[in-house]
Amino acid sequence: MGKKTAAAHIVWDWNGTLFHDNDAIIGATNAAFAELGMEPITMEQYRALYCVPVPKFYERLLGRLPTDAEWLVMDETFHRYYAEQRAMCGLTTGATELLAGWQSAGCSQSILSMYVHDELVPLVRGFGIEPHFIRVDGRTGPSGGSKAEHMVRHLGSLAGVDPARTVVIGDAADDAVAARHAGAQAVLYTGGSHSRASLEGVGVPVVDTLADAVAEAQRLAA
């Protein structure tokens, strides 16, 4: 499909972008660390050190990669605690209005998250925002990896969406890597899992609000 005929498209990240779950993430991370007798970390430390694949993040704090057995325990603990704590989290301020505005402008949008698919879909539905998206994809394989191949599959499944007019909006460096891998552009938001300093080295626009992210997406996809 040619550049002129395909409408601009946004692929939204979920955790830390549309869904403001920082408190649940840090609580679940510290619960996972406690399983290995590690000290809890602060949100500032998390945002400075977090990376994917996730075992690499644990290596930065442990001084070594977790063993396969440790990883399974930490991953299971993280997801159990996160599921309990996410109920207290809501959408990022202004997200609902931005989603409605982008849709009413005749543009399309979707969600691609590394959060488990069967839990993501009811969560999105519960906030009443599902009708704004042409597709909602969560993770169906093992956790901890990069989004790049998932992004290629996601965009490939969207009829009438041109990667060249697609902008990925996320809160992690990996969102920009995945966008590049799929031939799309990216805007990174500082309100989630990464500090501004760690995002600015990626070479894409970095913004402090979702409203700025959408404005930047509009410019990039024009």
Side-chain angles (χ1 to χ4, degrees):
M1 181 156 288
K3 193 176 166 92
K4 295 296 175 205
T5 48
H9 182 80
I10 290 174
V11 178
W12 290 96
D13 172 56
W14 180 247
N15 303 96
T17 304
L18 286 176
F19 189 45
H20 188 66
D21 60 352
N22 291 1
D23 290 344
I25 292 275
I26 196 71
T29 297
N30 282 330
F33 286 169
E35 289 289 332
L36 265 63
M38 293 166 61
E39 291 296 313
I41 62 168
T42 64
M43 179 52 87
E44 287 67 35
Q45 287 171 306
Y46 180 92
R47 283 163 49 84
L49 294 170
Y50 182 74
C51 64
V52 296
V54 178
K56 191 91 186 143
F57 166 54
Y58 291 156
E59 183 186 21
R60 289 180 171 185
L61 293 151
L62 263 178
R64 60 172 175 82
L65 276 170
T67 65
D68 289 349
E70 286 172 339
W71 162 249
L72 286 174
V73 168
M74 293 172 85
D75 193 46
E76 192 277 329
T77 303
F78 176 92
H79 285 99
R80 188 175 70 249
Y81 270 77
Y82 178 82
E84 291 168 7
Q85 296 183 45
R86 74 174 188 208
M88 294 172 279
C89 303
L91 295 176
T92 300
T93 305
T96 307
E97 294 78 7
L98 289 166
L99 295 172
W102 184 259
Q103 186 182 24
S104 65
C107 299
S108 60
Q109 54 201 332
S110 58
I111 291 176
L112 176 61
S113 172
M114 298 302 276
Y115 191 52
V116 65
H117 183 77
D118 291 345
E119 294 184 38
L120 172 69
V121 173
L123 201 50
V124 173
R125 197 168 285 154
F127 283 113
I129 56 173
E130 192 184 22
H132 295 310
F133 305 106
I134 59 173
R135 189 177 178 97
V136 175
D137 276 339
R139 176 178 55 76
T140 52
S143 67
S146 171
K147 219 177 203 178
E149 293 305 327
H150 298 270
M151 186 67 71
V152 172
R153 280 198 299 275
H154 180 75
L155 289 181
S157 70
L158 302 177
V161 170
D162 178 4
R165 294 206 68 201
T166 296
V167 180
V168 175
I169 297 178
D171 68 320
D174 189 55
D175 290 303
V177 172
R180 196 172 297 139
H181 190 71
Q185 302 188 77
V187 178
L188 296 179
Y189 162 65
T190 62
S193 62
H194 279 52
S195 65
R196 174 174 272 278
S198 66
L199 295 176
E200 284 182 331
V202 185
V204 302
V206 177
V207 298
D208 295 323
T209 68
L210 291 188
D212 287 346
V214 170
E216 198 60 38
Q218 216 156 12
R219 187 184 69 78
L220 290 171

